[in-house]
Amino acid sequence: MLLENQKTYRRLQINHTRNKEQDHTQLLDKAAADFRYEDCQEEYWNPEEFSLLYGTPLWEQSTPSQKIILNQLYWVAYYSQIISAEIATIYFNQTSAAGLYAQEDFRIICDSLDLESAQERAHINAFKTVANQVEAKLFGKRIFSYPMRGPFSETMVFADTNFFKRKWKELQLKTFGLLSADNTFLACQYFTVRGVRTLNGKLIQHKLSNFYQKHPNPEKAPIPAKISYYHFMDESFHFNSSTIISHDVIHCLKPPTEFEKLVANLGLQGCQKDHYHFSVAINGIFWYDPALYSAIYQILCSPIFDMNDTEAKEMIRRCFTEESEGLHRSYQTHTEARDSYKIYLEKLEYISKTNKEMTIMSSNTIPKYLATQKKALPTSLPSLSYLGSLGNLAVRKS
Ligand SMILES: [Fe+2]
Ligand SMILES: [Fe+2]
């Protein structure tokens, strides 16, 4: 019974009350409704180092106006990934709430999750509004964004995947949904996975939201920067609830069975696998770069950079297969994320050694990254030309 643990109950209550009071939904809806790309097209939306391909040969040779677009495209790409993660979050908030509601006094958690899911829908709407408008204006087609999708798609928008891997992932997600809806321990420990994923988000979103806070005139700040800030504010409550549920509410439950331990650890292992890669193109999102070549190629061939097929391919080769400041920065973020995950998992007893030490995620390195690119690039080049020959048709590889 949750009420027997007054301290935890109080913390849940305070977090829920404060989130309700400070809810940024209306501000986000207004920001989305007011967004007009023309109004903020000439400005940076993020700190400079959060630009697409920052610290790579492309960045070094870009003109000031191209750099502004790379900065804005970082925003579009970054939040396109967040949309996908939040669609999944809405679903698992619901299945977990079902699993938790089976216990006495758990209404407070379910009410918090309902509010959080509604907030995610406002977040998604704001991100989508900006991403769609920017890509339509700059390219007349989608590059990083995608039409609305369900919660069982590959969470990583640009992943190392194929038809079978996608189907397998879908089956795992569906199974976890069913299990957690009828198992309080698994429902509770979904929040360890959610906490870890949010930690990764916090790391970057804190810096993105600083841009608005440090803006000389925050009222006049570009709308996407405001959205970053409002979103970060809501997410801090989500992170608190993840932590209270996964770290404290767990003590109100029976100890896990071997099966429950296994499934919860598999969830974390999936998280490690999802976060194995790091991307030179986008610091802080653990995309698989070979899956991004075609997106970057299309940007390079667009009127913004106006490169021909040969020039675009050579630029891709230099950016992705050579060591650069950008690559080191992305690797640095990967390391920081991994270390913060370890700390987050430290006090949970049932966690396996590979998850506690994040061995899968830790096994990626800069030399491995470069070897992967050097192997993948030559086989990707012919399909890039094919993409070029299609011109401005809306094409996306996955
Ligand atoms: Fe969100
Ligand atoms: Fe959230």
Side-chain angles (χ1 to χ4, degrees):
M1 275 185 277
L2 194 53
L3 274 169
E4 282 170 11
N5 199 327
Q6 271 296 322
K7 214 174 132 203
T8 303
Y9 196 86
R10 274 301 290 157
R11 290 185 64 204
L12 286 163
Q13 246 178 350
I14 293 169
N15 192 56
H16 181 50
T17 311
R18 292 211 180 125
N19 191 12
K20 250 194 306 197
E21 283 165 6
Q22 295 177 29
D23 184 14
H24 287 73
T25 300
Q26 282 185 4
L27 287 166
L28 280 161
D29 284 348
K30 184 170 184 327
D34 291 345
F35 178 71
R36 283 174 63 238
Y37 186 34
E38 306 86 88
D39 297 340
C40 53
Q41 205 167 3
E42 314 286 323
E43 301 166 75
Y44 276 77
W45 296 350
N46 316 306
E48 193 179 44
E49 65 271 28
F50 295 100
S51 299
L52 201 69
L53 289 155
Y54 179 82
T56 66
L58 180 72
W59 179 261
E60 302 312 332
Q61 73 163 56
S62 289
T63 64
S65 63
Q66 287 169 334
K67 285 183 174 173
I68 289 176
I69 292 184
L70 289 172
N71 186 266
Q72 297 168 347
L73 286 177
Y74 178 99
W75 196 103
V76 168
Y78 185 87
Y79 287 110
S80 293
Q81 175 56 44
I82 301 301
I83 291 174
S84 170
E86 298 198 336
I87 289 172
T89 300
I90 293 170
Y91 174 71
F92 289 113
N93 281 352
Q94 263 139 13
T95 61
S96 304
L100 291 163
Y101 196 53
Q103 305 299 314
E104 299 293 340
D105 319 320
F106 273 54
R107 178 181 165 193
I108 180 75
I109 297 180
C110 303
D111 288 349
S112 307
L113 294 174
D114 286 349
L115 171 62
E116 291 178 13
S117 295
Q119 289 175 326
E120 302 298 11
R121 285 187 278 267
H123 301 166
I124 291 168
N125 176 62
F127 302 149
K128 267 179 86 77
T129 306
V130 175
N132 288 353
Q133 229 189 87
V134 171
E135 291 192 340
K137 183 84 189 293
L138 291 179
F139 309 107
K141 63 179 172 185
R142 295 188 184 278
I143 303 285
F144 299 108
S145 70
Y146 41 86
M148 203 53 189
R149 52 158 80 176
F152 304 114
S153 322
E154 185 78 61
T155 313
M156 282 290 166
V157 180
F158 292 88
D160 181 10
T161 192
N162 57 41
F163 178 80
F164 297 103
K165 283 187 190 171
R166 271 199 294 276
K167 286 289 158 198
W168 175 231
K169 193 67 176 273
E170 189 182 318
L171 187 66
Q172 287 175 312
L173 292 172
K174 286 181 177 170
T175 308
F176 189 79
L178 278 175
L179 285 172
S180 58
D182 193 30
N183 182 305
T184 308
F185 181 80
L186 292 177
C188 169
Q189 287 308 299
Y190 159 65
F191 293 93
T192 297
V193 173
R194 203 186 82 169
V196 162
R197 289 181 180 273
T198 312
L199 265 179
N200 169 33
K202 265 172 79 97
L203 212 67
I204 299 298
Q205 290 165 31
H206 177 64
K207 295 174 186 163
L208 300 183
S209 72
N210 264 339
F211 189 79
Y212 168 81
Q213 284 186 292
K214 290 193 180 145
H215 198 277
N217 187 353
E219 258 318 292
K220 293 263 159 61
I223 283 182
K226 285 186 185 168
I227 294 176
S228 294
Y229 174 73
Y230 298 151
H231 180 248
F232 182 67
M233 292 291 106
D234 278 353
E235 286 303 327
S236 65
F237 291 102
H238 300 189
F239 181 66
N240 286 345
S241 56
S242 290
T243 307
I244 306 169
I245 301 171
S246 64
H247 287 44
D248 298 325
V249 172
I250 189 173
H251 299 302
C252 307
L253 307 177
K254 274 188 290 187
T257 63
E258 288 307 310
F259 175 72
E260 289 165 342
K261 284 186 201 170
L262 173 76
V263 176
N265 273 299
L266 281 175
L268 283 166
Q269 197 180 307
C271 212
Q272 277 205 67
K273 284 184 183 159
D274 272 356
H275 293 191
Y276 172 82
H277 297 287
F278 48 90
S279 165
V280 72
I282 178 153
N283 179 0
I285 294 273
F286 302 137
W287 279 345
Y288 177 61
D289 276 351
L292 260 185
Y293 297 156
S294 70
I296 303 300
Y297 178 86
Q298 291 175 79
I299 294 171
L300 296 178
C301 294
S302 76
I304 301 161
F305 289 97
D306 203 27
M307 292 185 189
N308 63 31
D309 178 69
T310 318
E311 290 163 342
K313 283 177 178 169
E314 174 57 11
M315 183 50 83
I316 288 180
R317 190 194 62 72
R318 287 176 59 205
C319 290
F320 289 94
T321 65
E322 289 173 5
E323 220 170 314
S324 63
E325 189 204 332
L327 185 60
H328 280 271
R329 282 173 173 269
S330 294
Y331 178 64
Q332 176 63 28
T333 303
H334 191 257
T335 313
E336 272 172 45
R338 186 198 67 199
D339 293 341
S340 69
Y341 300 172
K342 282 189 190 171
I343 294 170
Y344 197 70
L345 299 178
E346 228 166 37
K347 286 192 206 106
L348 292 164
E349 282 163 23
Y350 73 89
I351 310 270
S352 69
K353 196 162 177 273
T354 41
N355 282 330
K356 267 212 167 137
E357 290 171 9
M358 288 280 139
T359 36
I360 301 173
M361 201 178 162
S362 305
S363 67
N364 203 0
T365 59
I366 288 181
K368 271 194 194 169
Y369 171 92
L370 292 170
T372 305
Q373 310 305 313
K374 282 178 188 153
K375 202 173 146 218
L377 188 63
T379 52
S380 305
L381 290 177
S383 65
L384 292 183
S385 304
Y386 174 69
L387 202 62
S389 71
L390 288 174
N392 228 15
L393 285 174
V395 270
R396 258 285 305 276
K397 258 185 88 186
S398 53

